[in-house]
Amino acid sequence: MTITSPHLGSSEAWTDARLLYALEEVVEKELNRHLKVAKDWMPHEYVPWTDGRNFPGLFEDGEAWEPGQSKVTDIGKTALVVNLLTEDNLPSYHHEIASLFGRDGAWGTWVHRWTAEEGRHGIVMRDYLLTSRAVDPDKLEQFRMAHMSEGFESDNRHSMLHSVAYVAFQELATRISHRNTGHQSGDPVCDRMLARIATDENLHMIFYRNLLGAAFQIAPDLTMQAVRDVVVNFRMPGHGIPGFERAAAQMAIGEIYNLRIHHDDVLQPVLRFLKVMDIDGLGPEGMKAQEELGLYMGGLDTEAAKFDERLAARRARQAARAKG
């Protein structure tokens, strides 16, 4: 596949403003496609309200929270808190993409629509957690305040292309994290709720992935460099959550999100769909970025294999202890 830039001769000529203008028609097309396939849903319909009861506070009959009040597994609780706190920073995410993409035209319509859809996720997850008493409500609120008070600044806020590349992968990563959390939660109600959220995240990924594909058509060298940078330096938006590293380690062991999942289920599907490693006709910088991307993916696969071995050994030890 040979891709060349039909509009401007050099990468240096592509400013964010020119890229936004050049991609406007693609954004409008993808927005219309999204609106046709996206289905509105009601967060309150996914919450087991009859399981709810008062907490202490204004209500004299309030029942204090206890860890054993919920059927959700320990790893499910950990992942649900991380996923919810990540969603809580939606105001910061909106500010970032509105600043980069603008609030007018098709770009602006998408920014607001995306924000509205994402807002449902935090609503339904918090309602579920409190109603089902899956987590300590006081600690959850303390975590929310600490996390949101820090705000959020994307590693890719300097570049529109980097931001598009990042969300193409991040939306898929979020979908996978939600879906696997549901599977590991031990509660069919939670599983259905997170499956509904994951459906949204997948549609968001498709929007950004297709937009990234269009960017390769008009600015292949710059887009390749952006993809290289994003993949090599990727980290989830919830990395600032208090205790994130420990929670991430638990989620890795619990097979909700780890190196193997990141390589096989997040990075590779997007790269394969866009045929990123098959693009030719690149300039020197684009070819260098493509080569470095391939080397990184090979190294990541090796690291994932080592993680797989450690995880298998851990399981074997646990099984041996259970028998003995």
Side-chain angles (χ1 to χ4, degrees):
M1 176 170 60
T2 302
I3 296 178
T4 57
S5 170
H7 299 295
L8 298 173
S10 66
S11 295
E12 291 75 13
W14 283 114
T15 63
D16 275 2
R18 283 174 171 161
L19 284 165
L20 286 166
Y21 179 78
L23 290 169
E24 177 89 23
E25 289 186 10
V26 179
V27 172
E28 184 173 4
K29 174 186 173 183
E30 290 302 317
L31 172 63
N32 290 334
R33 180 199 55 76
H34 176 84
L35 293 175
K36 287 180 180 178
V37 298
K39 292 181 172 60
D40 279 339
W41 56 279
M42 303 299 130
H44 60 268
E45 295 179 355
Y46 288 81
V47 179
W49 297 106
T50 54
D51 292 347
R53 49 206 187 274
N54 294 336
F55 288 103
L58 293 178
F59 304 99
E60 294 182 3
D61 62 342
E63 181 181 350
W65 178 83
E66 295 291 344
Q69 292 170 342
S70 169
K71 65 183 76 173
V72 176
T73 61
D74 288 342
I75 187 58
K77 293 173 183 177
T78 297
L80 279 163
V81 170
V82 169
N83 292 346
L84 174 56
L85 292 176
T86 300
E87 299 284 358
D88 276 336
N89 253 340
L90 182 60
S92 288
Y93 309 148
H94 174 84
H95 172 76
E96 292 240 339
I97 65 171
S99 299
L100 276 168
F101 300 157
R103 295 173 175 83
D104 301 319
W107 281 104
T109 301
W110 168 253
V111 165
H112 297 310
R113 174 73 189 197
W114 174 87
T115 303
E117 291 183 3
E118 288 286 340
R120 288 184 178 133
H121 304 168
I123 291 170
V124 72
M125 289 174 67
R126 176 168 284 100
D127 286 346
Y128 169 81
L129 286 173
L130 296 179
T131 302
S132 67
R133 292 184 171 241
V135 297
D136 183 337
D138 292 345
K139 286 187 177 179
L140 182 64
E141 178 59 12
Q142 290 161 7
F143 280 144
R144 187 189 71 84
M145 286 296 295
H147 185 44
M148 290 193 69
S149 294
E150 288 295 321
F152 173 81
E153 287 190 349
S154 169
D155 298 330
N156 304 288
R157 61 189 180 280
H158 63 287
S159 160
M160 190 276 284
L161 270 183
H162 282 71
S163 295
V164 170
Y166 176 74
V167 289
F169 295 106
Q170 180 265 320
E171 293 282 3
L172 182 53
T174 304
R175 172 208 164 192
I176 295 296
S177 181
H178 283 310
R179 201 69 193 94
N180 288 343
T181 299
H183 292 328
Q184 301 284 0
S185 68
D187 181 7
V189 174
C190 181
D191 194 20
R192 287 194 295 270
M193 172 191 69
L194 292 176
R196 177 59 260 187
I197 292 174
T199 299
D200 281 359
E201 303 291 7
N202 195 59
L203 290 177
H204 297 166
M205 178 276 293
I206 291 171
F207 177 94
Y208 287 119
R209 183 196 63 191
N210 292 351
L211 189 58
L212 186 62
F216 268 117
Q217 293 289 334
I218 65 173
D221 289 305
L222 283 179
T223 305
M224 186 66 74
Q225 292 172 69
V227 169
R228 184 261 328 266
D229 294 345
V230 164
V231 168
V232 169
N233 299 297
F234 186 89
R235 56 180 181 167
M236 293 293 274
H239 59 80
I241 293 170
F244 177 78
E245 290 185 2
R246 182 182 179 190
Q250 293 170 340
M251 291 167 68
I253 293 170
E255 295 189 89
I256 288 175
Y257 201 95
N258 56 38
L259 281 178
R260 174 54 63 201
I261 293 169
H262 183 60
H263 178 276
D264 290 1
D265 300 337
V266 176
L267 298 182
Q268 284 284 28
V270 175
L271 295 176
R272 279 198 303 264
F273 183 88
L274 297 177
K275 298 181 172 62
V276 171
M277 303 311 300
D278 298 326
I279 295 174
D280 55 19
L282 297 165
E285 290 301 314
M287 291 176 62
K288 178 184 176 185
Q290 188 181 49
E291 180 181 356
E292 290 174 348
L293 177 62
L295 290 171
Y296 177 81
M297 290 298 294
L300 184 64
D301 189 36
T302 300
E303 290 300 312
K306 293 178 182 177
F307 174 83
D308 291 341
E309 292 173 2
R310 293 195 299 270
L311 189 59
R314 185 178 189 274
R315 286 197 191 120
R317 290 193 301 270
Q318 289 177 330
R321 283 197 297 268
K323 289 180 180 179

